[in-house]
Amino acid sequence: MRQPLIIAPSILAADFARLGEEVRAVDQAGADWIHVDVMDGHFVPNISIGPDVVKALRAHTRKVLDVHLMIAPCDPYLEAFAKAGSDIITVHVEAGPHVHRSLQAIRALGKKAGVTLNPGTPVDTIEPVIDLVDLILVMSVNPGFGGQAFIPFAAEKIARLRALAGARPIDIEVDGGITPDTAPVVAQAGANVLVAGSAVFKGGKGEGYRANIAAIRHAAALARGEAA
């Protein structure tokens, strides 16, 4: 059975001075999940937010908090992000010496476990852990900054991962340069969770966010044969 189409706005592109309001706005504008990019200035060249911000945001939405850890080592922080209210915790293959152990730890904390592939990370690195993951995130830009251009090779990786997942109920997520133009490419390849930052938050809140989310959803749904 095919995984449902999910649009997950990335708050990295939100107004950080009004983060709670921004989360409420995209929630009401039709977001399925809220994607939270956590960066440490070490694993990726940027610093964003920590567990306390996730905890503060938890009060502003009942939607899934999809927390993407771009930090290394990740293991010492898994419990803090779980307790802060994350629903899904995703770690990078390279974020520690034992990705298998990291995924086990996330599951032991009662959370869904995700694993991320950077543009330069081969698909076969996650084959040994595929039965431990609920989600596979394909980075279609190099992680660290929003607003980058989509890397076309990501579509091929998505297709290979969808085949590797087989009948398992694994969400294939894609993050980086997702717009109404690139959404059909990744949806056709097999991605069902589309993360969009700049393309959602551009042009102001409220109805603007609603229109931006709807445009991405419609483009992806068309490619999946689910919309007229």
Side-chain angles (χ1 to χ4, degrees):
M1 182 167 150
R2 192 150 72 153
Q3 297 296 99
L5 178 60
I6 289 163
I7 308 299
S10 166
I11 61 167
L12 188 64
D15 178 350
F16 269 45
R18 301 186 301 109
L19 214 41
E21 278 177 58
E22 291 275 68
V23 165
R24 289 200 305 275
V26 290
D27 180 328
Q28 289 160 15
D32 300 300
W33 294 357
I34 306 296
H35 188 80
V36 182
D37 286 307
V38 177
M39 307 177 183
D40 64 358
H42 164 71
F43 184 67
V44 292
N46 200 0
I47 297 172
S48 61
I49 63 176
D52 286 350
V53 177
V54 175
K55 186 177 180 181
L57 293 177
R58 183 70 278 180
H60 290 272
T61 182
R62 298 178 71 174
K63 298 275 171 76
V64 167
L65 285 183
D66 173 31
V67 178
H68 173 200
L69 300 185
M70 289 169 268
I71 64 176
C74 60
D75 290 2
Y77 301 96
L78 297 176
E79 187 174 0
F81 279 103
K83 285 183 171 172
S86 309
D87 295 297
I88 304 166
I89 300 176
T90 301
V91 298
H92 281 250
V93 170
E94 303 89 350
H98 308 291
V99 68
H100 188 285
R101 182 180 291 159
S102 302
L103 294 167
Q104 281 182 319
I106 295 166
R107 294 198 139 197
L109 289 161
K111 304 299 177 180
K112 288 193 168 185
V115 66
T116 313
L117 286 80
N118 280 330
T121 308
V123 166
D124 58 13
T125 54
I126 63 152
E127 204 165 344
V129 297
I130 193 141
D131 288 316
L132 277 177
V133 301
D134 300 288
L135 175 144
I136 301 165
L137 170 54
V138 176
M139 292 303 298
S140 43
V141 297
N142 280 293
F145 296 95
Q148 298 183 69
F150 176 78
I151 297 172
F153 177 63
E156 190 179 314
K157 285 177 94 167
I158 290 164
R160 288 172 60 196
L161 287 162
R162 183 49 79 196
L164 185 63
R168 298 173 184 88
I170 293 174
D171 288 308
I172 308 276
E173 183 172 44
V174 60
D175 182 2
I178 298 304
T179 67
D181 293 331
T182 54
V185 177
V186 297
Q188 212 157 16
N192 69 291
V193 182
L194 276 55
V195 176
S198 311
V200 167
F201 285 97
K202 68 179 183 186
K205 63 175 183 175
E207 286 310 305
Y209 295 171
R210 182 177 296 280
N212 294 340
I213 290 168
I216 295 166
R217 188 188 304 281
H218 183 68
L222 270 176
R224 284 163 58 98
E226 294 171 353

